[in-house]
């Protein structure tokens, strides 16, 4: 079916809503199963086949549908059971062994409390708390993840049934490009890829540059070692990201949209491509969209295993079939980007915020968050905490609450030592420093960084020097080698840290590290080199006694470094 | 790399040719350039690596030089230009996996097998690629994905050793469990 006017779209949306209501209001049991990279890894395929088997045998009238991930990786595989009369209930950790008993209980009209995460309703049901009361959900505010785990990510109809594409259609048919940019500016949404540049200002510059064609590009590369939010969002709600990019195309008056997705994110790639195909089929992409005379096209591009390709200019070279190596700025990409044409580049999450800004207005969005950081932020946690997953919190939310409440604090048997912030680009916070808001300005102030929102919890067994070495090695390895300060400087830095780890600290080593770092920071060409030493410097600042023990006594208090394990050979530095 | 140059003569190029003909139809040179990486990804998907003959076919089909293609193949860590071992493994070395102990497995591979990222064990059982980013399943950290299929989570040097042993002994039939603890 191809929609050829705004009225067509409204009619389609009304039908989609009706289908949705009938489906969930009917006499059938609807079993929604979260299928995402994390649930696949945890055996959801087995859960699915076992569910089917037992439901068939139970004689219940049922339907199994797939949804995405609602962020609770710790509870995968999960299912959401919507009984014919009763609110939907979410069960976590539904591995195959759990299935028979669960299905048997449903058949008897019972709803076990074991494994239940919560019920989608205001009040408790059969002794199961509302989902919003679950400690993982309680502090969250979900704008971007509203549909994650609710809709089938491979169904454009379900996306539209839940309000999808209304913002695009509105932007296309009822707003001027200037008005769109105005709303985005007013919302003051800042880039979610790390640097926090206001998106509206970028879009305005892109409009101002007089050269055509123009390009709109989404950065879904996500090659950092510490974060997995963009791919999870795409896996769960690909149309939301697509709609955001399409609105930017309307604002820039260009038919050319791109999404660059890291080649490792296999499921995100295939789901996004599917979303694009469906949008073409429905006539939301293509020529003369909804009879407006305007065309919109979307290309999906990817690379593989090169962190640097997430850097703006490198990403554009990567799209152009060149090696992804950054160039000096200016010109900025809004002046000269893809194919040397004006290009607006934003992070996946930035685009995902746009539809709700168009629907509710920039002023509404600007009311959420803090003075300088608006809206919500997707965050992920790694490390030994109780609940690993993707959460969405209002900007300014307390870091301590995030770690201790939402993520449940340390796993049993672990004592947390700190949280590495801003991935490979900044230093950590010690556990006594967590009383800080999750927003650009608060974290900047304490010398940490919001970055992409991927936090790494590490416990007392982790040596700060070794962790710093790991982060330094990452940057050294991922350096594109174009400029000398980064290529050789990081190598030198890694060698110094390795000497420290082996109890062979050179004289005045702290000054040596600082001096080498200063050179790398000051002289490197791009953002990778310019922040590469920050994790090491940050670790030194946060855990000076530990570094001192290595420096002066040749001792690793954690017993992790080679210095305290003489039988272990030095890991080759040059080989990585 | 330790491999000798692959013999390209016995590569069946038809599957790749079919895909190129169906999905890779650039309208101009810019489009051609944009499509190189994806074409190589298709080749790697089919053959497990990107054989020389495949690069020549891609070059011819897109109207670009093999030189440019190799420039890209050697830039991205994901591409293999020599045949992998019987199995390939993505060993995650992202931050969650590091905190969980992946460095120990990396060290073990280095010390026991003299294997680094992209290398194959001498007996040809396993090609290991370290993932510097995050595999996205941190709840299982440290974790590895075998042959782009099953994941093995909560790895320790011991369980990794067992996994290697079972791969060495198995004749190609896959595991019935997708996770070892
Ligand atoms: C080394 C390096 C890697 C980067 N990787 C990413 C990435 O994976 N995703 C991303 O959105 N931005 C990444 N960035 C930031 C981008 O350069 C760019 O600022 C961002 O995509 C712009 O979008 P935003 O304004 O919406 O954040 C990276 C920057 C550097 C220096
Ligand atoms: S700073 Fe590093 S990554 Fe950036 S251009 Fe220079 S060598 Fe490449
Ligand atoms: S860091 Fe290894 S799966 Fe995320």
């Amino acid at each position: 079916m191809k929609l050829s006017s705004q009225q067509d779209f409204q009619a389609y949306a009304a039908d989609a809503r009706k289908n949705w209501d009938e489906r969930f209001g009917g006499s059938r049991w609807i079993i929604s199963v979260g299928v995402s990279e994390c649930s696949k890894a945890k055996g959801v395929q087995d859960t699915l086949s076992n569910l089917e088997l037992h439901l068939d045998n139970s004689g219940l009238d049922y339907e199994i549908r797939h949804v995405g991930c609602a962020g609770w990786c710790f509870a995968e595989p999960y299912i959401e059971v919507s009984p014919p009369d009763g609110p939907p209930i979410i069960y976590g950790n539904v591995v195959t062994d759990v299935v028979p008993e669960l299905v048997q209980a449903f058949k008897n009209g019972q709803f076990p409390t074991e494994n239940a995460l919560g019920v989608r309703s205001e009040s408790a049901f059969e002794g199961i708390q509302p989902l919003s009361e679950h400690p993982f959900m309680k502090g969250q505010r979900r704008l971007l993840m509203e549909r994650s785990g609710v809709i089938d990510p491979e169904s454009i109809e379900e996306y539209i049934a839940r309000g999808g594409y209304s913002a695009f259609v509105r932007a296309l048919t009822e707003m001027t490009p200037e008005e769109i940019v105005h709303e985005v500016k007013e919302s003051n949404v800042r880039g979610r890829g790390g640097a926090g540049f206001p998106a509206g200002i970028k879009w305005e510059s892109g409009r101002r540059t007089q050269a055509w064609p123009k390009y709109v590009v989404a950065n879904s590369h996500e090659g950092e070692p510490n974060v997995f939010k963009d791919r999870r969002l795409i896996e769960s709600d690909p149309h939301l990201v697509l709609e955001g990019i399409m609105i930017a195309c309307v604002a820039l008056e260009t038919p050319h949209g791109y999404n660059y997705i890291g080649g490792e994110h296999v499921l995100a790639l295939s789901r996004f491509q599917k979303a694009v195909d469906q949008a073409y089929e429905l006539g939301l992409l293509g020529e003369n969209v909804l009879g407006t005379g305007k065309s919109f096209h979307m290309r999906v591009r990817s690379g593989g295993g090169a962190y640097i390709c997430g850097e703006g200019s490198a990403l554009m070279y990567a799209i152009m079939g060149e090696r992804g190596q950054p160039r000096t700025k200016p010109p900025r990409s809004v002046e000269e980007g893809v194919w040397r044409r004006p290009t607006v580049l934003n992070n996946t999450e930035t685009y995902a915020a746009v539809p709700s800004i168009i629907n509710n207005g920039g002023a509404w969005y600007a009311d959420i968050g803090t003075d300088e950081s608006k809206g919500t932020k997707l965050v992920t946690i790694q490390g030994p905490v109780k609940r690993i997953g993707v959460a969405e919190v209002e900007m300014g939310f307390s870091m301590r609450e995030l770690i201790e409440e939402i993520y449940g604090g340390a796993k049993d048997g672990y004592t947390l030592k700190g949280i590495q912030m801003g991935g490979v680009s900044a230093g950590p916070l010690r556990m006594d420093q967590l009383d800080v808001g999750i927003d650009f300005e608060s974290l900047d102030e304490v010398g940490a960084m919001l970055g992409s929102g991927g936090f790494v919890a590490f416990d007392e067994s982790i040596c700060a020097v070794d962790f710093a070495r790991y982060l330094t090695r990452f940057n050294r390895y991922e350096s594109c080698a174009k400029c000398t300060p980064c290529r050789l400087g990081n190598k030198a830095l890694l060698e110094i840290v390795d000497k420290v780890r082996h109890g062979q600290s050179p004289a005045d080593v702290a000054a040596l590290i600082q001096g080498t770092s200063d050179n790398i920071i000051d002289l490197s060409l791009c953002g990778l080199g310019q922040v590469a030493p920050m994790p090491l410097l940050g670790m030194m600042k946060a855990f000076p006694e530990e570094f001192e023990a290595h420096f002066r006594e040749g001792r690793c208090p954690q017993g992790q470094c080679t210095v305290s394990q003489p039988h272990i050979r030095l890991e080759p530095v040059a080989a990585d | 790399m330790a491999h000798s140059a692959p013999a390209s003569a016995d590569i069946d190029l038809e599957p790749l040719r079919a895909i190129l003909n169906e999905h890779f139809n650039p309208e101009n040179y810019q489009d051609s350039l944009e499509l190189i990486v994806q074409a190589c990804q298709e080749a790697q998907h089919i053959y497990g690596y990107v054989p020389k003959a495949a690069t020549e076919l891609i070059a011819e089909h897109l109207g670009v030089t093999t030189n440019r293609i190799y420039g890209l193949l050697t830039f991205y860590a994901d591409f293999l230009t020599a045949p992998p071992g019987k199995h390939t493994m993505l060993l995650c070395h992202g931050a969650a996996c590091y905190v969980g102990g992946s460095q120990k497995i990396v060290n073990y591979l280095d010390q026991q097998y003299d294997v680094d990222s992209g290398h194959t064990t001498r007996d040809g059982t396993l090609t290991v690629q370290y993932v510097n980013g995050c595999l996205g399943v941190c709840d299982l950290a440290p974790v590895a994905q075998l042959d782009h299929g099953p994941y093995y989570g909560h790895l320790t040097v011991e369980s990794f050793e067992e996994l290697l042993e079972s791969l060495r002994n198995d004749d190609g039939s896959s595991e019935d469990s997708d996770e070892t603890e």
Side-chain angles (χ1 to χ4, degrees):
Chain A
M1 178 175 21
K2 253 207 164 66
L3 309 176
S4 50
S5 67
Q6 191 189 356
Q7 290 72 29
D8 268 11
F9 175 81
Q10 307 304 4
Y12 180 91
D15 272 350
R17 280 193 297 273
K18 198 164 134 252
N19 289 344
W20 178 281
D21 290 342
E22 281 174 6
R23 192 175 180 193
F24 285 90
S27 60
R28 272 193 151 170
W29 289 71
I30 312 247
I31 316 287
S32 310
V33 182
V35 180
S36 54
E37 204 74 77
C38 51
S39 68
K40 280 178 146 182
K42 289 170 97 176
V44 73
Q45 297 301 351
D46 296 338
T47 301
L48 271 167
S49 41
N50 214 13
L51 263 175
E52 207 166 316
L53 183 81
H54 283 89
L55 283 163
D56 274 343
N57 290 340
S58 74
L60 291 174
D61 181 17
Y62 78 96
E63 174 192 338
I64 290 184
R65 61 193 281 273
H66 293 190
V67 293
C69 166
W72 39 63
C73 303
F74 66 92
E76 300 283 359
Y78 81 93
I79 66 173
E80 178 167 336
V81 181
S82 312
D85 33 35
I89 304 164
I90 291 151
Y91 287 96
N93 300 103
V94 185
V95 290
T96 43
D97 316 3
V98 180
V99 170
E101 273 175 48
L102 262 185
V103 173
Q104 188 58 42
F106 299 155
K107 198 184 165 190
N108 299 336
Q110 293 159 347
F111 298 97
T113 50
E114 204 185 335
N115 285 335
L117 289 190
V119 34
R120 281 195 204 272
S121 124
E122 304 278 303
S123 46
F125 173 75
E126 305 269 334
I128 303 169
Q129 65 184 351
L131 184 64
S132 52
E133 292 296 314
H134 188 284
F136 181 70
M137 298 298 286
K138 205 168 176 183
Q140 294 200 43
R141 168 133 193 214
R142 293 192 157 190
L143 303 179
L144 310 185
M145 288 181 74
E146 198 190 348
R147 297 184 194 83
S148 290
V150 174
I151 60 163
D152 178 352
E154 302 194 5
S155 164
I156 193 169
E157 186 190 325
E158 291 194 12
Y159 179 67
I160 292 176
R162 307 299 287 174
Y165 286 115
S166 57
F168 168 70
V169 172
R170 182 143 174 242
L172 179 64
T173 57
E174 295 169 20
M175 294 170 81
T176 63
E178 290 82 2
E179 282 167 350
I180 300 171
V181 173
H182 175 80
E183 293 301 330
V184 176
K185 263 182 85 177
E186 183 153 324
S187 77
N188 200 11
V189 57
R190 292 169 62 180
R192 301 301 198 234
F197 190 82
I201 295 181
K202 197 185 276 186
W203 291 21
E204 192 168 58
S205 315
R207 278 189 60 76
R208 202 178 302 129
T209 311
Q210 301 295 307
W212 286 268
K214 295 181 181 181
Y215 296 97
V216 169
V217 181
N219 190 343
S220 305
H221 178 259
E222 199 164 70
E224 284 174 282
N226 56 298
V227 67
F228 52 92
K229 50 130 185 140
D230 288 343
R231 83 196 75 165
R232 209 57 94 228
L233 184 62
I234 296 176
E235 282 170 19
S236 304
D237 200 0
H239 285 286
L240 175 69
V241 178
L242 178 55
E243 184 179 1
I245 308 173
M246 286 160 64
I247 293 170
C249 287
V250 180
L252 269 287
E253 297 182 73
T254 177
H256 304 295
Y258 282 83
N259 193 357
Y260 186 90
I261 304 179
E264 306 85 340
H265 315 324
V266 179
L267 189 63
L269 260 166
S270 72
R271 287 208 172 139
F272 192 81
Q273 184 62 58
K274 185 149 192 180
V276 169
D277 295 346
Q278 290 174 342
Y280 271 108
E281 272 165 36
L282 207 57
L284 295 176
L285 286 172
E287 305 294 329
N288 189 19
V289 169
L290 301 184
T292 55
K294 294 181 183 145
S295 305
F296 298 98
H297 294 280
M298 194 65 51
R299 288 179 166 182
V300 182
R301 296 286 178 251
S302 83
Y307 164 65
I308 192 60
C309 288
E311 193 275 347
S313 60
L315 182 143
M316 296 186 197
Y317 284 119
I319 288 178
M320 295 189 276
E322 308 260 349
R323 293 167 77 109
Q325 291 180 303
R327 63 157 166 76
T328 45
K329 278 140 249 178
R332 294 172 307 146
S333 55
V334 284
E335 291 147 0
E336 237 182 82
V338 177
W339 300 117
R340 308 194 63 181
R341 293 287 180 260
T343 301
V344 163
L345 175 75
N346 278 120
N347 173 254
T348 318
E349 188 188 339
T350 316
Y351 286 117
V354 171
S356 66
I357 291 171
I358 296 301
N359 276 330
N360 304 306
W364 164 83
Y365 191 85
D367 233 23
I368 306 167
T370 66
D371 281 354
E372 287 170 57
S373 306
K374 302 302 186 188
T376 56
K377 181 81 194 80
L378 296 181
V379 291
T380 62
I381 187 83
Q382 301 177 322
V385 295
K386 289 213 181 78
R387 289 186 282 273
I388 283 188
V390 189
E392 181 175 357
V393 292
E394 186 165 345
M395 285 279 195
F397 191 79
S398 147
M399 189 68 199
R400 186 174 299 285
E401 247 181 282
L402 178 75
I403 300 297
E404 287 177 0
E405 307 296 327
I406 294 183
Y407 293 134
K411 243 196 326 221
D412 293 340
Y414 289 84
T415 309
L416 295 184
K417 171 168 170 174
I419 311 290
Q420 170 60 9
M421 312 285 296
V424 291
S425 315
L429 292 177
R430 287 188 317 265
M431 294 312 281
D432 61 330
Q433 296 174 310
L434 294 190
D435 296 299
V436 57
I438 301 170
D439 56 66
F440 292 106
E441 62 275 19
S442 307
L443 288 170
D444 273 356
E445 215 166 275
V446 296
M449 196 178 135
L450 179 54
S452 50
F455 307 128
V456 189
F458 54 103
D459 65 291
E460 291 289 355
S461 74
I462 300 291
C463 162
V465 178
D466 193 73
F467 196 7
R469 188 234 180 228
Y470 165 83
L471 296 163
T472 307
R473 176 212 161 266
F474 178 92
N475 284 323
R476 143 89 180 92
Y477 184 92
E478 295 293 345
S479 162
C480 83
K482 178 170 177 169
C483 68
T484 319
C486 171
R487 180 180 68 235
L488 297 183
N490 282 307
K491 185 162 184 277
L493 207 53
L494 187 60
E495 279 169 8
I496 299 168
V497 181
D498 270 333
K499 285 197 174 133
V500 172
R501 290 172 58 246
H502 287 80
Q504 298 161 1
S505 302
D508 235 349
V509 57
L512 183 63
I513 289 176
Q514 187 66 53
T516 310
S517 299
D518 288 346
N519 284 334
I520 299 171
I521 292 167
D522 291 345
L523 301 174
S524 287
L525 189 157
C526 86
L528 189 152
Q530 287 159 9
V531 300
M534 300 312 280
L536 172 61
L537 297 178
M539 285 285 174
M540 274 172 75
K541 199 167 148 215
F543 303 101
E545 16 8 275
E546 245 173 80
F547 276 79
E548 283 301 317
H550 287 76
F551 292 164
R552 296 201 192 291
E553 304 163 38
R555 183 173 66 85
C556 174
Q558 266 61 31
Q560 203 184 351
C561 291
T562 323
V563 61
S564 49
Q565 305 163 5
H567 56 285
I568 291 192
R569 209 177 89 202
L570 169 64
E571 293 118 36
V573 175
D576 24 45
Chain B
M1 257 201 226
H3 301 289
S4 56
S8 275
D10 41 0
I11 298 282
D12 176 11
L13 287 175
E14 282 320 305
L16 179 60
R17 201 188 308 274
I19 287 177
L20 291 176
N21 286 338
E22 193 182 338
H23 298 292
F24 290 76
N25 298 301
E27 281 175 19
N28 51 41
Y29 186 56
Q30 275 189 10
D31 282 4
S32 290
L33 295 175
E34 287 190 16
L35 290 172
I36 300 172
V37 170
Q38 264 160 315
C40 293
Q41 284 169 338
E42 295 289 351
Q44 176 142 320
H45 189 69
I46 298 171
Y47 306 108
Y49 71 112
V50 189
K52 183 155 174 278
T55 61
E56 282 159 1
L57 179 65
I58 292 168
E60 187 191 296
H61 183 88
L62 294 178
V64 300
T65 63
T66 48
N67 213 351
R68 180 182 279 275
I69 295 177
Y70 273 98
L72 296 175
L73 290 181
T74 50
F75 180 77
Y76 293 106
D78 284 1
F79 287 117
L80 297 173
T81 52
K86 203 164 74 179
H87 298 280
T88 47
M89 173 188 280
L90 299 176
L91 177 62
C92 186
H93 199 27
C97 289
Y98 163 80
V99 171
S102 60
Q103 184 73 53
K104 296 194 183 88
I105 300 167
V106 168
N107 293 352
Y108 168 79
L109 276 165
D110 173 44
Q111 284 151 25
Q112 290 291 313
Y113 293 92
D114 197 19
V115 159
D116 196 358
S117 188
H119 292 188
T120 304
T121 52
R122 244 176 229 125
D123 63 2
T125 305
L126 184 69
T127 301
V128 194
Q129 291 177 284
Y130 301 158
V131 178
N132 265 334
C134 156
L135 265 184
V137 295
C138 310
D139 205 33
L140 296 178
V143 61
Q145 190 183 18
L146 191 70
D147 298 324
H148 299 280
Y151 291 84
Y152 293 82
H154 309 300
L155 289 169
T156 59
V157 169
E158 291 74 34
S159 68
F160 187 81
E161 216 166 345
E162 276 166 33
L163 172 60
L164 261 182
E165 187 61 31
S166 71
L167 293 178
R168 227 177 272 127
N169 298 333
D170 106 309
D171 42 21
S173 60
S174 72
E175 310 287 302
D176 34 334
S177 122
D178 57 1
E179 199 191 315
T180 53
E181 304 254 349

